[in-house]
Amino acid sequence: MTTRSTDPLAGVVSATPAGGRLVFVPSRILQFGVALGGSAMVPLWMASPLLLPMLVIALLTDSGLLWAIVWVGLGLTTLAVIGLALALTFTVSATMVRWIEFRHQGNAKRCVIARCLRSSIVAAADLQRVVVVEQLRLGRRKSLKVVLHTRGGTVECEPGFNAPMSQVDSEALLTWLTSQLRSDGVAVEYQAQIDRHFSCPGEWWTRSHLAALWHVPVGAVDELAVRHGVRSYRYTSRSMAMYSPAKTVTVYDPDRAYEIAEELREEHTTNPGSDGTQNPRP
């Protein structure tokens, strides 16, 4: 019987003879396959609504003009597939970062940035800061990337298709990056980018959801929500509209609720004996 790994960075971080490696794209073949598959599907998806009806009509009428139009359309679609495939292949190979590795070289450290077909080296002294950027919507992660800010510009490292990096714990990743760069004085930061576009009320969170998120009683949710400026919305759900049209449900903005959860967690870490309902962070 196999046991599941408890390492939050399993499959993402590995030790190498020279240092530590952080993997974003586990398989080049899979990544190129996804790019080539997308390059074939997009033109076909766009051309099919026009070509398929014309092909059916051409088969029924045996019109030479329609057949010529169909063949021209197929030719243009093929050229679009080839062009898009070349463009995506070049983009993946030239810009996508497979992994970064922090290597020790004497008393100095350097960062090796490996892309699909080439690699480059940045001295740790040239790293100004490293930022872990987490994009959130409705309190859930949409994407995660690591941005290296160097004296020559920025390098964005994003997870590949179905890569373990996309599911890694952000706090564990911050801890690992800090351990790699602390001795060189490189700042490691966390940045949350929240999509605040209004969504349908059915996607917002109820009192019980917020109570579980904030680790407080359900009765304390309203007070905390008002105190911290969490937007609320009252509406009648579709399931109740027919039978109980007067019954409404109060839901809360999950993005702001997620921020408050982080603040309360930090407060409890700093003051273990404090209660979020009695001494919330302003």
Side-chain angles (χ1 to χ4, degrees):
M1 181 177 178
T2 59
T3 58
R4 188 176 180 180
S5 175
T6 58
D7 184 2
L9 298 177
V12 176
V13 169
S14 60
T16 63
R21 177 177 296 183
L22 181 62
V23 179
F24 299 92
V25 181
S27 172
R28 282 182 292 185
I29 296 176
L30 176 61
Q31 199 63 36
F32 278 116
V34 171
L36 293 175
S39 65
M41 292 301 297
V42 172
L44 291 175
W45 178 75
M46 296 178 64
S48 294
L50 178 63
L51 289 179
L52 288 179
M54 296 191 67
L55 178 60
V56 173
I57 296 174
L59 288 172
L60 295 176
T61 61
D62 198 21
S63 170
L65 177 61
L66 288 178
W67 275 112
I69 295 175
V70 169
W71 285 115
V72 170
L74 288 174
L76 293 175
T77 303
T78 303
L79 290 176
V81 169
I82 295 173
L84 188 58
L86 293 175
L88 289 178
T89 301
F90 172 79
T91 301
V92 170
S93 60
T95 63
M96 198 158 198
V97 176
R98 291 178 53 215
W99 47 261
I100 58 176
E101 185 174 315
F102 300 102
R103 297 179 180 175
H104 299 273
Q105 189 177 25
N107 295 327
K109 184 181 291 183
R110 57 182 183 173
C111 176
V112 180
I113 304 171
R115 293 178 172 83
C116 288
L117 297 179
R118 62 185 179 90
S119 62
S120 57
I121 298 176
V122 177
D126 293 332
L127 275 175
Q128 297 177 332
R129 61 192 179 108
V130 176
V131 183
V132 176
V133 181
E134 187 175 22
Q135 294 183 340
L136 303 167
R137 183 177 183 272
L138 299 175
R140 296 178 177 86
R141 177 186 294 172
K142 292 178 61 179
S143 66
L144 180 72
K145 63 181 179 180
V146 176
V147 182
L148 307 178
H149 293 264
T150 70
R151 293 180 181 178
T154 60
V155 180
E156 295 191 359
C157 311
E158 300 186 17
F161 176 76
N162 204 27
M165 177 67 188
S166 60
Q167 302 297 327
V168 76
D169 181 71
S170 58
E171 290 188 15
L173 180 59
L174 282 169
T175 301
W176 185 84
L177 288 170
T178 301
S179 67
Q180 294 293 316
L181 297 170
R182 182 188 296 112
S183 60
D184 299 282
V186 180
V188 179
E189 304 171 2
Y190 170 81
Q191 179 181 350
Q193 296 179 350
I194 300 177
D195 182 0
R196 298 186 182 278
H197 293 298
F198 184 84
S199 54
C200 64
E203 294 181 303
W204 282 30
W205 290 350
T206 61
R207 286 190 181 93
S208 58
H209 198 150
L210 262 64
L213 178 70
W214 291 346
H215 302 289
V216 298
V218 175
V221 168
D222 286 341
E223 179 186 353
L224 279 174
V226 172
R227 186 174 302 176
H228 291 278
V230 180
R231 292 184 298 169
S232 62
Y233 187 85
R234 295 181 64 87
Y235 81 110
T236 302
S237 63
R238 292 182 179 180
S239 60
M240 298 179 181
M242 183 177 297
Y243 304 103
S244 302
K247 189 173 183 179
T248 60
V249 177
T250 302
V251 289
Y252 301 86
D253 177 11
D255 293 323
R256 179 59 180 157
Y258 180 84
E259 291 179 338
I260 299 305
E262 292 295 310
E263 293 178 6
L264 293 176
R265 182 187 59 79
E266 293 177 2
E267 179 180 297
H268 291 163
T269 301
T270 305
N271 304 306
S274 66
D275 185 351
T277 62
Q278 300 295 329
N279 185 27
R281 170 179 288 194

